[in-house]
Amino acid sequence: MTEGLGAAPTTTSVEPSGAVPLLFVTRDEYHDRVAQLKAEGFEMCADLCAVDYLSHPARRLPEGVVGERFEVVVNLLSLSMKRRVRIRVQVPESDPSVPTLFDLYPGSEAMEREAYDMHGVVFTGHPDLTRILMPEDWEGHPLRKDYGVGRVPVQFKEAPGPR
Amino acid sequence: MNEDPLAPHPGRRSSWSPAETSEGSQELAPAGALRLDHSVASVLRIPEGAVDGGQIDVERGEDTMIINMGPQHPSTHGVLRLMLELEGETVLRTKPVVGYLHTGMEKTAEELTYVQGATNVSLMDYLPPLHNELVFSLATEALLGVQVPPRAVWIRMLMSELNRMSSHLMWMATNGMDLGSTSMMISGFRERELVLEFFQKTTGLRMNHNYIRPGGVAADLPDGWEDDVEVICDTVFERTYEYDELLTGQPIFRERTEAVGSLSAEVAVALSATGPILRSTGVPWDLRRTMPYLAYDEVDFDVIVGTYGDNFDRYSIRLNEIRESVRIVRQVLEKMPRGDYRLQDAKVTPPPRRRIDESMEALIHHFKVFTEGFRVPEGEVYVAVESPRGELGCYLVSDGTAKPYRCHIRGPSFVNLQTLPALLRGGLIADAVAVISSVDPVMGEVDR
């Protein structure tokens, strides 16, 4: 397994269940890399989500990785090896699209729709890329950092009566 | 591997079980062999011609009919809506439509400090709220790099196992109701009430406790908790055998659950199903055993595994998991260590109440923790625990401030709902209610 991880810049994240390898891959190698990991025994796509790093363009990343606004984070799980691996893909704001993992992991269908709905990341090749949580005619992608949080004005004084 | 992986296979034993069983470790099918056209079942929007419905052995009529079930249907466990494509009484394709309960909790989480965060995640899956708090707290602690005291670990285990019992009891109740057994419903709620009473005594609330917090738990167990827990264990354990009499052996119940909604292990893994759904297909995957967290490697329990992946397997897995939880709770009762119930680090947890009256620093720390919160070092972490519904994950990104930059919760119900099209395909519309019930979705967690 370890020789397979050498191709992309990796670090590890120490978590309660042990160290998890972190893989940083480019968009072009993303799909092939996941396919390779699947062949190596990661049978399940446990989680897929997107992160909007709007206010942190200069965050700490391994050498050779250029930080973009969005990141798609995929957590793969191997039932046979009892291991996890996490893949982080940088997705630019100008063209927020990555290939879908649907052909490898059909279970990523709802997760990719959620990431599209919440962050506006387009998964090319997804069979039904529509909004999943928000109404179909909703504008904007709520979990983007430049999407405002709605507020209800709170009135602290007694309102002057209508009379 | 059979030709149509989505076809139900009543009575077929799954050939696939990766981790070790009592009969030694077993081999995996090669990953490349998995070829699955999931779109056949789940995506209704693809053109008609692209779907070959001929694989299902039904009397084919003139045309098919699409009906909507929900979101107000009483048996959809909240506000789940299903688009069902029917051919006569047979379900061909299904599309779950979710989002009716979406309240933007992940967005809210970015506005709350880590201290307040547990109150927010607690509302997602409201049947086992303590698991949500647990996974959020574990993620925060992993970023902080702190270890909670042993007593806190064992209290967390006690509470999450009790919560697993109450959640499964609730499922037994609603599942019984869906299948027409009102006695089961009343019994299930009666036993669940026992557990909730103990929660109320310990945490002050019956649900949404905000009890497990980053740094430990909110309060120590109440005096005499051993007796209360003993009573719960004895009562619930005894009553599970009453459920056996009530349901397990009943011919009508068996008719309605056996070979209904079958799933193969290949499909379950491909669709990322976890929890009882995955285990019902014969895959012995339980995070408490396979990737132990808390102190689950120090207690003795069995992972319950099914064979056929049908409704009856999922029923018996949940029933037996109640018994296994009782077994774990009894061991926790014996092994509960003494000591602090939370971290004594004034930067993370508030000082004890009595210190506030005598120490200025304690007052300042108390004030700071509850107004500003604590800063968490930069980083990102994914932590998963085994909730009653499956893998409950929390992906937390911190940018060094007192609020999470991103808090993503991987809800097991949300992912498990994807198995519904595969479970319903080829079955009767009359069984749809039973199948939805056996997936056990909690819409609060699906929609978040």
Side-chain angles (χ1 to χ4, degrees):
Chain A
M1 236 274 321
T2 37
E3 70 272 20
L5 296 178
T10 62
T11 50
T12 48
S13 159
V14 180
E15 288 170 15
S17 56
V20 173
L22 264 177
L23 265 69
F24 289 86
V25 298
T26 63
R27 272 197 297 171
D28 300 334
E29 51 189 45
Y30 167 62
H31 191 273
D32 295 342
R33 195 82 190 93
V34 175
Q36 189 191 339
L37 284 167
K38 188 182 174 187
E40 284 171 21
F42 288 91
E43 310 94 346
M44 189 186 278
C45 172
D47 186 33
L48 185 148
C49 69
V51 187
D52 180 3
Y53 283 103
L54 177 66
S55 48
H56 295 277
R59 61 191 179 280
R60 212 181 306 149
L61 289 168
E63 209 153 307
V65 180
V66 183
E68 298 281 359
R69 175 171 171 186
F70 296 107
E71 252 183 38
V72 170
V73 183
V74 185
N75 281 286
L76 298 182
L77 175 64
S78 167
L79 307 182
S80 46
M81 296 185 286
K82 299 183 184 174
R83 295 181 63 162
R84 288 179 191 279
V85 64
R86 186 152 70 243
I87 298 140
R88 290 170 65 179
V89 195
Q90 305 295 324
V91 183
E93 186 183 358
S94 53
D95 172 29
S97 68
V98 286
T100 180
L101 295 183
F102 180 79
D103 49 339
L104 299 170
Y105 300 103
S108 66
E109 191 236 352
M111 307 178 204
E112 286 183 350
R113 278 177 70 192
E114 191 196 352
Y116 162 73
D117 192 0
M118 293 291 132
H119 286 93
V121 176
V122 175
F123 293 86
T124 47
H126 190 287
D128 182 30
L129 197 66
T130 48
R131 291 191 178 270
I132 187 166
L133 295 180
M134 303 301 284
E136 277 170 24
D137 53 356
W138 194 265
E139 281 177 24
H141 299 282
L143 276 181
R144 287 189 172 190
K145 286 288 175 180
D146 50 7
Y147 188 96
V149 184
R151 282 185 198 283
V152 179
V154 181
Q155 188 169 5
F156 289 103
K157 278 187 180 169
E158 190 190 347
R163 56 202 140 108
Chain B
M1 175 138 189
N2 60 340
E3 279 181 11
D4 179 13
L6 289 177
H9 52 93
R12 188 171 72 87
R13 188 177 227 287
S14 168
S15 60
W16 199 89
S17 39
E20 55 263 36
T21 63
S22 53
E23 288 155 23
S25 77
Q26 298 188 15
E27 290 297 310
L28 256 187
L34 187 64
R35 184 181 54 78
L36 181 70
D37 192 5
H38 169 61
S39 63
V40 170
S42 122
V43 184
L44 269 177
R45 293 175 195 211
I46 54 174
E48 286 295 308
V51 179
D52 179 18
Q55 304 157 338
I56 299 181
D57 184 25
V58 287
E59 292 283 321
R60 301 194 72 82
E62 287 295 296
D63 50 7
T64 57
M65 175 172 67
I66 290 184
I67 65 160
N68 273 300
M69 183 176 175
Q72 302 293 355
H73 194 282
S75 294
T76 52
H77 290 233
V79 284
L80 171 66
R81 178 178 148 214
L82 292 178
M83 288 166 76
L84 299 160
E85 185 191 39
L86 301 179
E87 170 133 15
E89 278 194 73
T90 308
V91 182
L92 296 180
R93 293 181 293 173
T94 313
K95 183 186 171 93
V97 182
V98 301
Y100 292 94
L101 212 56
H102 178 60
T103 47
M105 293 169 100
E106 289 181 5
K107 187 82 173 173
T108 311
E110 295 170 5
E111 296 290 313
L112 299 175
T113 64
Y114 289 94
V115 182
Q116 298 165 325
T119 58
N120 181 43
V121 294
S122 178
L123 301 167
M124 289 179 178
D125 193 350
Y126 42 80
L127 292 178
L130 288 164
H131 286 91
N132 293 27
E133 296 166 18
L134 175 66
V135 73
F136 179 80
S137 303
L138 286 176
T140 310
E141 285 153 11
L143 283 174
L144 280 170
V146 296
Q147 290 279 333
V148 298
R151 188 175 172 86
V153 170
W154 286 79
I155 292 179
R156 285 174 173 191
M157 243 166 70
L158 171 77
M159 298 301 270
S160 30
E161 283 316 306
L162 287 172
N163 213 174
R164 192 182 311 276
M165 278 154 63
S166 76
S167 172
H168 280 337
L169 285 166
M170 174 83 178
W171 179 82
M172 301 282 294
T174 52
N175 185 54
M177 186 71 187
D178 286 337
L179 294 171
S181 166
T182 31
S183 320
M184 186 59 238
M185 151 123 161
I186 291 165
S187 311
F189 271 97
R190 181 183 60 186
E191 271 72 271
R192 175 173 178 258
E193 205 57 32
L194 274 178
V195 183
L196 293 195
E197 262 170 36
F198 178 72
F199 284 166
Q200 187 174 16
K201 205 170 172 182
T202 311
T203 72
L205 291 166
R206 285 156 44 87
M207 290 167 84
N208 312 125
H209 315 276
N210 188 21
Y211 179 69
I212 298 177
R213 300 177 184 181
V217 294
D220 207 347
L221 295 167
D223 289 342
W225 65 274
E226 293 97 334
D227 299 337
D228 293 340
V229 171
E230 198 99 50
V231 169
I232 293 173
C233 287
D234 293 347
T235 318
V236 171
F237 192 72
E238 202 185 299
R239 299 247 167 99
T240 53
Y241 291 95
E242 287 180 18
Y243 306 159
D244 268 345
E245 278 176 38
L246 198 60
L247 290 182
T248 314
Q250 288 302 310
I252 297 174
F253 178 76
R254 301 284 284 237
E255 283 282 296
R256 290 217 59 192
T257 52
E258 279 183 347
V260 172
S262 303
L263 195 67
S264 69
E266 290 88 354
V267 177
V269 171
L271 294 179
S272 305
T274 46
I277 299 183
L278 181 60
R279 289 195 285 277
S280 73
T281 63
V283 181
W285 184 259
D286 185 327
L287 290 176
R288 294 177 292 170
R289 168 65 54 81
T290 50
M291 291 180 164
Y293 54 97
L294 295 181
Y296 279 111
D297 43 355
E298 292 172 41
V299 290
D300 191 25
F301 67 99
D302 288 334
V303 176
I304 314 292
V305 178
T307 307
Y308 305 119
D310 58 2
N311 278 4
F312 186 75
D313 276 357
R314 289 188 280 276
Y315 161 81
S316 25
I317 284 175
R318 292 191 177 106
L319 178 62
N320 282 300
E321 276 184 7
I322 297 176
R323 292 175 185 147
E324 289 306 313
S325 288
V326 169
R327 202 168 140 198
I328 297 175
V329 167
R330 284 197 173 130
Q331 294 172 56
V332 174
L333 211 54
E334 277 172 26
K335 293 185 178 176
M336 178 66 77
R338 293 178 180 282
D340 277 331
Y341 59 90
R342 65 180 173 196
L343 202 65
Q344 290 300 342
D345 178 349
K347 299 291 178 208
V348 180
T349 51
R353 178 65 188 80
R354 60 176 188 285
R355 293 276 302 141
I356 296 172
D357 297 336
E358 56 195 40
S359 156
M360 190 64 199
E361 283 75 31
L363 184 63
I364 293 169
H365 283 311
H366 189 274
F367 184 73
K368 291 274 268 187
V369 164
F370 284 112
T371 53
E372 195 185 69
F374 49 82
R375 288 172 189 281
V376 169
E378 270 179 55
E380 42 110 51
V381 73
Y382 178 83
V383 176
V385 301
E386 185 76 23
S387 101
R389 277 157 198 81
E391 175 175 327
L392 175 63
C394 179
Y395 180 68
L396 209 55
V397 180
S398 168
D399 61 347
T401 60
K403 293 173 181 173
Y405 190 71
R406 174 91 166 93
C407 172
H408 170 75
I409 297 285
R410 186 254 196 223
S413 307
F414 178 70
V415 183
N416 285 353
L417 262 190
Q418 297 185 97
T419 59
L420 257 187
L423 292 173
L424 288 171
R425 184 172 163 83
L428 295 176
I429 179 75
D431 287 328
V433 167
V435 172
I436 297 166
S437 172
S438 85
V439 171
D440 193 15
V442 171
M443 297 316 286
E445 183 187 59
V446 173
D447 296 343
R448 298 187 296 281

